[in-house]
Amino acid sequence: MDIHSDSYKVAALSEQEEALEIIRNAEASIAHLTGNPTVTLIAYEKSEVSGSQH
């Protein structure tokens, strides 16, 4: 998968163990509800884009 955005970037959560656990639990819940065992959630955060009019 290749996702591009000038407004957002993938959130760096490697040292945020509580946030990672919440995401893992949400993935497991969605996988259970949908019957799809390969659900992956991606966290994004706003990018600091110079010259942006947002």
Side-chain angles (χ1 to χ4, degrees):
M1 174 173 33
D2 194 13
I3 300 172
H4 296 283
S5 172
D6 291 334
S7 299
Y8 291 89
K9 64 181 179 179
V10 174
L13 300 175
S14 60
E15 295 182 19
Q16 302 293 322
E17 211 39 58
E18 186 176 359
L20 293 174
E21 187 62 27
I22 290 168
I23 292 170
R24 287 183 194 114
N25 288 337
E27 289 173 338
S29 294
I30 293 168
H32 177 75
L33 287 171
T34 64
N36 180 354
T38 59
V39 172
T40 300
L41 299 179
I42 303 169
Y44 284 95
E45 61 187 358
K46 281 271 191 185
S47 294
E48 297 295 327
V49 179
S50 60
S52 178
Q53 298 289 320
H54 299 258

